[in-house]
Amino acid sequence: MAFLPPWACALVGCISVSLAGAFSLSDLYPPLWNESPGQFSDYRVENGKYVIDPWVYSKRMGMYKILMNKTASYFEKFAPDNEQNFLWGLPLQHGWQYTTGRLVDPSRRTDCGYEYGDRLCISVDSWWADINYFLCALPFLAAVDSGIMGISSDQVLLLPPPKDQTKFCLNISSCQSSFPKTMKKWNALYKRLQSPSSSFDDLLKYLWDAHLSSLKDAYKIFEDRLEYYSKPEADFGRDWCVALDYLAAASFPTTFIQVSGFQKGLPPRVLVDGDKAPFISDFTDFQNTVLLGLNLLHQVDNATDCTPQSCNPCNSPAMSATETSAIYQTGNLTKSEAKGLERHPTVVQPIAGRTQ
């Protein structure tokens, strides 16, 4: 059995970034959080149904905001002010995608998402946007179906994208019909969330189970969208999907502070031809190191019989000179790349304790 080296474990199983210095939580909210709908009545109503256009950034973000508001009371036993609500990972990732230009039309056949066009438009040709749809629509509609949102199951309808409409479910019944396994997993999470005896770690396992199920449903449908991107960006998308398996196995807590810190290591823009970590000049050392580490994790995952469940030692926060040398000698790293990982152990720190 092949085991991941400690640096890989640190990147995807034991990562946590300190948010140094004084800061306000409001400064870390996703873009347009305050301007996005926060209750169902903020959306238009047609024939007794709330009609939501998830292909407008602020409207999709509003779905997350309502979900956060409606689930807040169930997380009060873990921490005040919704701080330990692990659903924060969903809107924060969506905000990162918007900020870094990953929701725009990558084919450039339209001006969807671009500064010179409709900035709030979410392109159906964006791989990131389509993957995110399954991590927005399904958890949102499952929450409605569970009763946790305070409206009946037939009171909400999502508008279709301008093309490929059959690839997306638009209401509870169509999502249950098309993706029954995933919808059941999200429903199981909300049912468990309403149990007074539920623990944080127990709930986190339900979350990651549903999250990965949504991701796998979407990846199978939209893998061809990666053809619109440069090789470095397409590779990063695939690396990210592999990394999520390991984050899930490590029960990474997707709370506000943890995800806000973690995202500081993600690429601040779409990758282009010629970008090669750890030598991307407009990226921080941390961003270069995380990008390189995610790629190496994918290589190890492909080259061995390692699985997230079996290869999760999580016992060392840094990679030693001996380990970097060994990886270099296998041909997976150039000498400069190995030195880069060895030089930056301080960006990885153990996960802070969680309230149970």
Side-chain angles (χ1 to χ4, degrees):
M1 172 62 66
F3 284 91
L4 289 180
W7 60 265
C9 167
L11 278 169
V12 299
C14 306
I15 260 188
S16 179
V17 183
S18 292
L19 297 176
F23 63 89
S24 168
L25 288 183
S26 61
D27 294 336
L28 302 175
Y29 285 143
L32 302 179
W33 179 258
N34 292 330
E35 293 82 358
S36 298
Q39 52 191 359
F40 283 105
S41 59
D42 291 334
Y43 293 103
R44 63 187 176 93
V45 178
E46 289 185 7
N47 300 320
K49 298 179 186 293
Y50 296 105
V51 180
I52 303 173
D53 187 352
W55 301 99
V56 175
Y57 169 77
S58 56
K59 303 300 185 183
R60 189 182 292 194
M61 184 60 76
M63 296 167 66
Y64 286 130
K65 191 173 179 180
I66 293 173
L67 183 61
M68 297 303 301
N69 290 339
K70 293 294 186 179
T71 56
S73 61
Y74 298 102
F75 289 90
E76 289 178 351
K77 63 182 179 180
F78 304 124
D81 302 323
N82 221 13
E83 180 183 315
Q84 287 292 93
N85 191 331
F86 46 57
L87 293 170
W88 269 118
L90 300 174
L92 287 170
Q93 266 283 284
H94 187 45
W96 168 78
Q97 292 164 353
Y98 174 79
T99 301
T100 60
R102 287 180 163 84
L103 301 179
V104 308
D105 181 358
S107 72
R108 294 189 174 271
R109 290 194 291 257
T110 72
D111 62 7
C112 181
Y114 290 96
E115 292 286 356
Y116 57 80
D118 185 352
R119 184 68 179 93
L120 296 181
C121 175
I122 296 177
S123 174
V124 69
D125 284 324
S126 163
W127 179 82
W128 294 95
D130 293 341
I131 296 292
N132 176 262
Y133 183 93
F134 278 63
L135 288 166
C136 178
L138 272 63
F140 179 84
L141 292 174
V144 172
D145 187 50
S146 74
I148 212 169
M149 303 286 259
I151 64 171
S152 64
S153 297
D154 61 351
Q155 276 188 277
V156 62
L157 176 67
L158 305 183
L159 294 180
K163 68 172 190 176
D164 295 335
Q165 291 91 344
T166 58
K167 294 182 178 181
F168 303 90
C169 60
L170 306 175
N171 54 36
I172 291 170
S173 60
S174 65
C175 287
Q176 288 176 334
S177 175
S178 300
F179 310 103
K181 181 179 177 181
T182 299
M183 287 292 283
K184 286 179 181 178
K185 289 178 183 292
W186 283 110
N187 267 292
L189 166 64
Y190 298 127
K191 181 178 180 181
R192 187 62 180 167
L193 183 61
Q194 296 175 75
S195 170
S197 62
S198 60
S199 69
F200 185 89
D201 286 344
D202 179 42
L203 290 169
L204 198 56
K205 292 176 182 177
Y206 279 84
L207 169 75
W208 275 115
D209 191 31
H211 188 115
L212 292 182
S213 187
S214 289
L215 182 67
K216 290 172 183 176
D217 284 340
Y219 191 88
K220 288 183 292 187
I221 299 172
F222 300 110
E223 186 176 11
D224 63 331
R225 296 279 204 262
L226 289 171
E227 296 173 3
Y228 289 126
Y229 298 92
S230 68
K231 186 178 185 302
E233 179 69 14
D235 286 346
F236 167 59
R238 297 184 184 97
D239 295 344
W240 182 235
C241 287
V242 170
L244 288 175
D245 272 328
Y246 288 83
L247 287 170
S251 293
F252 181 82
T254 51
T255 57
F256 190 95
I257 295 299
Q258 293 286 351
V259 174
S260 295
F262 182 73
Q263 289 189 160
K264 285 181 173 289
L266 298 183
R269 59 165 173 79
V270 175
L271 299 173
V272 297
D273 290 328
D275 283 337
K276 184 173 178 59
F279 309 115
I280 305 176
S281 61
D282 60 336
F283 283 20
T284 65
D285 285 348
F286 182 38
Q287 290 162 350
N288 268 297
T289 302
V290 169
L291 186 59
L292 174 61
L294 293 178
N295 179 256
L296 292 172
L297 174 67
H298 195 174
Q299 289 184 41
V300 172
D301 187 79
N302 284 339
T304 70
D305 57 353
C306 181
T307 67
Q309 289 71 31
S310 64
C311 302
N312 187 28
C314 288
N315 58 5
S316 175
M319 188 177 186
S320 70
T322 301
E323 289 163 333
T324 55
S325 176
I327 295 281
Y328 162 64
Q329 290 171 14
T330 68
N332 289 328
L333 272 182
T334 67
K335 187 178 293 185
S336 296
E337 290 169 339
K339 285 293 185 183
L341 279 176
E342 182 185 337
R343 278 198 306 271
H344 301 295
T346 56
V347 301
V348 183
Q349 302 171 12
I351 294 173
R354 301 196 295 271
T355 302
Q356 301 298 315

